[in-house]
Amino acid sequence: MAYLRLRRILELAVLDRPGLQWLLGDRGGRSERRAPAEHWETLHRTGTYDALMDEGRRDHLRLLAAMIAERRPGARVLEIGCGQGAFYAALRSHGPAAYRGVDIAPAAIARAQETFAADIERGLAHFEAGDGAELGLEGGFDAIVFADSIEYLGPIDEVLARFGPLLAPDGVFGVTQWLAPHPLRLWGALKPKLHLRDEALVSAPWGGAWQVWTGRPRPGPS
């Protein structure tokens, strides 16, 4: 228990001061390469992510949905790495104007389409299998969501360059990240590139916590 308390103190320190990353013993060894599609397909087919659809495991997603709905009621939302639709399950009660979920694992999309078939039929939601970077998406989204996924999409500068132009003029990224060395290292790279709008921590019942934030990329050098 004492170790967990110390760990939380260190994680909070690193959130505010990314230069303290070394306190967590992270040497930066994890690759920034994108995880292959086969990896995610296997995880969804074997039920690894089924628990995320349980009500008690989605507090962080409910908070992110509320952050987005408060700032942009009736938002047009794109989610990259939507999985089986855990974030959409939290968002739908806020009445988004449109929702489009994309995931690289067809097994995940099949589950989402089955779970939310009624919403899909009514035109309230759309789920599709594919690589969000290669779909030729049109812009104008009030929020682009990366729920527990942004750390798996490759170098963060490429992610910002790819998806930033798809935001509406006052649109935001919405992100949840598990507090651990690699996501915190990613946060150290991200924070200087953002106009941060909201930030919070959500404790998990089994220990640990998620960081939940919304923000807009800062303009790059012209």
Side-chain angles (χ1 to χ4, degrees):
M1 185 64 70
Y3 169 76
L4 292 177
R5 290 197 184 100
L6 176 61
R7 183 81 180 184
R8 183 62 53 81
I9 291 171
L10 294 177
E11 289 168 348
L12 294 175
V14 172
L15 278 174
D16 291 331
R17 302 172 182 84
L20 298 179
Q21 185 72 46
W22 59 272
L23 289 172
L24 294 175
D26 180 37
R27 299 292 186 268
R30 178 169 166 178
S31 171
E32 299 297 333
R33 291 177 299 176
R34 302 172 65 197
E38 295 79 7
H39 171 75
W40 303 112
E41 181 73 0
T42 298
L43 290 177
H44 284 286
R45 286 193 179 279
T46 56
T48 301
Y49 287 117
D50 290 359
L52 285 178
M53 299 303 292
D54 294 343
E55 190 73 13
R57 291 179 175 262
R58 290 192 279 111
D59 290 346
H60 62 305
L61 302 180
R62 283 191 287 271
L63 177 58
L64 179 58
M67 286 177 173
I68 291 170
E70 180 181 24
R71 289 188 176 274
R72 300 301 297 266
R76 296 183 65 248
V77 179
L78 169 68
E79 183 179 3
I80 302 298
C82 67
Q84 299 175 26
F87 173 73
Y88 178 69
L91 179 70
R92 62 200 296 260
S93 64
H94 294 284
Y99 169 87
R100 184 173 183 177
V102 180
D103 198 281
I104 204 166
I109 293 299
R111 291 288 295 276
Q113 290 172 338
E114 178 182 0
T115 301
F116 302 106
D119 286 11
I120 294 170
E121 185 176 354
R122 294 168 60 195
L124 301 177
H126 175 76
F127 294 90
E128 62 189 291
D131 186 335
E134 299 175 358
L135 289 179
L137 298 167
E138 296 183 2
F141 290 101
D142 299 307
I144 299 179
V145 170
F146 306 91
D148 305 333
S149 67
I150 196 167
E151 63 183 283
Y152 302 110
L153 299 178
I156 196 59
D157 286 338
E158 294 180 11
V159 174
L160 296 178
R162 186 182 307 134
F163 295 106
L166 300 181
L167 289 170
D170 196 35
V172 295
F173 286 152
V175 176
T176 62
Q177 297 172 255
W178 185 249
L179 287 189
H182 178 66
L184 283 168
R185 190 171 76 249
L186 177 63
W187 176 240
L190 262 171
K191 193 171 184 179
K193 304 175 188 295
L194 296 170
H195 290 292
L196 197 62
R197 303 287 178 85
D198 305 283
E199 184 184 6
L201 294 180
V202 176
S203 295
W206 56 90
W210 287 277
Q211 180 193 19
V212 183
W213 60 266
T214 68
R216 183 171 178 83
R218 296 179 183 274
S222 58

